[in-house]
Structures are given as structure tokens and as C-alpha cells.
């Protein structure tokens, strides 16, 4: 079993910054992908950024925003999301996700989610 523990959400004014972190623990045989998704009210959950294989994916909605940076500490099975210059449309519950492959079968794990609210 794998556990994902997220931290760092909160309320911030437009233009402010937040840093999210997610630490994975438990029995982790391998990490096929690990990263962040978000779900805004009334919308579907969407990818923000993730490491998959040896590469990194960013969603189109954040790809051109240098103010949002994804990073990983592979030695500690931890991922981070540094968000600067936040906008109200960044308001969402942010979920950490990890995919592992066990005996050829993909297994997905999700964190409990952390609320990010951007509002004046």
C-alpha cells in the first residue's frame, strides 16, 4: 500500500505564492508517474504537472506560466509544486497522484487533496 501526504495549501491573494509538497511512503516498487492534479468547483480533475518516466509533463493551462514550477526529490519520493503569481482561476483542490506498475498492472494512488484558494 502507498500513502501520499500533501501539505501547503491555503488562502492567498491574487499575485501571491504557495508551495505544495507531497511525500509518498509505504511499499513502492517503482514510480511510473507522480505529480499534481487539480479540480475546480464544477469542473473535472485535470493534470497540472507530473514526472512520467524520465520526462516532465505540464498541462497546457500552466505550460506557458513560468510562475508555476514542478520538481521532484526522487531520493525521498517527494514532489513539489511552487506556484507564484497565482490567479483566481488557480482556485481548486490540488491532488497528489502516483502511478506504479506491479506485475504488469498499473495501480493509481491519490492523496486526500489540499485546498488552494486565490481570492482578495
Amino acid at each position: 500500500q502507498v500513502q501520499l501526504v500533501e501539505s501547503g495549501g491555503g488562502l492567498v491573494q491574487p499575485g501571491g505564492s504557495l508551495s505544495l509538497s507531497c511525500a509518498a511512503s509505504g511499499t513502492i516498487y517503482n514510480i511510473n508517474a507522480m505529480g499534481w492534479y487539480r479540480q475546480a468547483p464544477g469542473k473535472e480533475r485535470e493534470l497540472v504537472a507530473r514526472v512520467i518516466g524520465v520526462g516532465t509533463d505540464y498541462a497546457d493551462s500552466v505550460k506557458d506560466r513560468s510562475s508555476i514550477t514542478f520538481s521532484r526529490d526522487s531520493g525521498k519520493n517527494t514532489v513539489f509544486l511552487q506556484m507564484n503569481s497565482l490567479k483566481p482561476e488557480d482556485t481548486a483542490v490540488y491532488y497528489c497522484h502516483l502511478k506504479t506498475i506491479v506485475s504488469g498492472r498499473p495501480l493509481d494512488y491519490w492523496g486526500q487533496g489540499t485546498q488552494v484558494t486565490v481570492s482578495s
Side-chain angles (χ1 to χ4, degrees):
Q1 193 64 285
V2 174
Q3 296 80 41
L4 301 175
V5 178
E6 302 143 335
S7 62
L11 171 65
V12 65
Q13 293 186 342
S17 298
L18 283 175
S19 180
L20 307 183
S21 65
C22 172
S25 62
T27 304
I28 303 171
Y29 296 102
N30 56 77
I31 296 179
N32 178 262
M34 187 174 180
W36 292 97
Y37 288 71
R38 67 184 179 185
Q39 188 166 17
K43 294 188 177 181
E44 294 186 353
R45 193 172 297 188
E46 64 173 2
L47 171 71
V48 179
R50 65 179 178 176
V51 57
I52 180 165
V54 297
T56 301
D57 274 344
Y58 281 88
D60 289 341
S61 59
V62 303
K63 191 176 295 184
D64 295 329
R65 293 174 62 183
S66 60
S67 59
I68 293 181
T69 305
F70 173 79
S71 61
R72 175 189 182 188
D73 183 339
S74 56
K76 296 181 179 180
N77 292 331
T78 301
V79 293
F80 307 91
L81 192 66
Q82 176 65 42
M83 301 186 290
N84 303 322
S85 302
L86 283 162
K87 304 176 180 180
E89 51 263 42
D90 294 315
T91 295
V93 179
Y94 284 69
Y95 294 93
C96 183
H97 170 258
L98 182 150
K99 174 177 284 186
T100 184
I101 308 292
V102 179
S103 299
R105 186 165 65 99
L107 297 174
D108 292 281
Y109 295 94
W110 293 92
Q112 78 281 3
T114 185
Q115 178 70 48
V116 170
T117 302
V118 185
S119 175
S120 55

